[in-house]
Amino acid sequence: MNIRQAIRQKRRELSPQQRSDAQQIIYQKIETHLALNQAKNIAIFLSFDGEVDTKPIIEYLWQQNKSVYLPVPIAEQQLLFLNYSPNTPLIKNKFGILEPAINETSSITIEQLDIVFTPLVAFDERGYRMGMGGGYYDRALANYQKQQILPIGLAFACQKLAKIDNQPWDIKLPEIIYA
Ligand SMILES: Nc1ncnc2c1ncn2[C@@H]1O[C@H](COP(=O)(O)OP(=O)(O)OP(=O)(O)O)[C@@H](O)[C@H]1O
Ligand SMILES: [Mg+2]
């Protein structure tokens, strides 16, 4: 089993208690996050495979009248960010993950986003991440500093590695919220 698979399995095998304890801490950090409070357009993702449950975060963002966007993979390993409100219809993509239907929802360009919650499989102290291997987030965030976007990784502590072997295209996250 490779590292990516091993960490995904550890993440899936967290007990319900471990999961909910960690998530309470993560949700608290989010509710007191200064940049997040000041943000308007926020991209997040719908969890799968044992990822930190983002549904309570999304509910919180809606309550705070933030505009929420979800990523949809399109051609050439790119991400389109589509508006997500409580009445947006979701459809299953080819991986079985729910996403907004492209035709029915409005998209936003990456530079209009203030914060991009970023999924990850593994991360290290420096903020380097290993994703699912598509390079989607490395591409989407390639110019994040110039575009004044704040990417924030979301993870459980069991996803942390001492050091990730980073490649030239890998984006180093300025912040990762984990517990
Ligand atoms: N900015 C970029 N421009 C062109 N190709 C890229 C870019 N970023 C990544 N890639 C390509 O994408 C492929 C996958 O990248 P990588 O293995 O880092 O995925 P990942 O970080 O796990 O995925 P993700 O970003 O979707 O979470 C690599 O072959 C890499 O060359
Ligand atoms: Mg990468």
Side-chain angles (χ1 to χ4, degrees):
M1 193 164 28
N2 65 30
I3 295 182
R4 187 178 265 122
Q5 287 171 334
I7 295 181
R8 287 177 62 185
Q9 182 170 344
K10 262 207 295 193
R11 186 174 64 183
R12 284 193 300 267
E13 287 173 356
L14 286 172
S15 72
Q17 187 69 56
Q18 287 172 316
R19 190 173 287 282
S20 100
D21 288 351
Q23 286 176 168
Q24 282 322 308
I25 296 170
I26 291 168
Y27 300 154
Q28 233 165 43
K29 290 185 187 190
I30 285 174
E31 294 187 11
T32 55
H33 195 285
L34 203 64
L36 189 69
N37 282 326
Q38 292 166 353
K40 173 81 186 93
N41 297 324
I42 299 166
I44 191 160
F45 54 93
L46 295 179
S47 318
F48 87 116
D49 194 37
E51 287 172 331
V52 172
D53 183 8
T54 55
K55 207 71 228 263
I57 304 174
I58 293 170
E59 300 279 351
Y60 169 75
L61 295 174
W62 283 339
Q63 252 178 40
Q64 300 294 308
N65 290 314
K66 308 294 187 188
S67 296
V68 176
Y69 294 84
L70 293 177
V72 176
I74 53 168
E76 294 170 343
Q77 285 357 48
Q78 302 211 67
L79 292 177
L80 192 62
F81 289 92
L82 299 181
N83 187 257
Y84 181 42
S85 69
N87 41 31
T88 304
L90 296 176
I91 53 169
K92 264 192 190 169
N93 71 14
K94 61 180 173 184
F95 307 107
I97 303 172
L98 290 170
E99 59 186 34
I102 287 185
N103 295 331
E104 300 181 39
T105 329
S106 54
S107 66
I108 192 171
T109 59
I110 183 97
E111 64 268 21
Q112 292 174 278
L113 289 167
D114 300 308
I115 291 188
V116 176
F117 282 108
T118 308
L120 55 90
V121 173
F123 68 101
D124 72 13
E125 197 68 54
R126 303 171 299 164
Y128 279 108
R129 61 182 279 286
M130 182 190 291
M132 294 291 281
Y136 287 93
Y137 278 90
D138 287 320
R139 284 184 183 80
L141 298 174
N143 299 307
Y144 85 85
Q145 280 157 313
K146 227 172 38 200
Q147 294 168 329
Q148 295 185 285
I149 298 162
L150 175 62
I152 304 178
L154 282 179
F156 292 109
C158 68
Q159 295 171 253
K160 190 173 180 184
L161 295 177
K163 191 170 180 218
I164 286 183
D165 233 355
N166 58 294
Q167 301 297 322
W169 59 81
D170 282 322
I171 295 298
K172 187 166 83 155
L173 298 175
E175 183 173 348
I176 297 170
I177 297 181
Y178 70 97

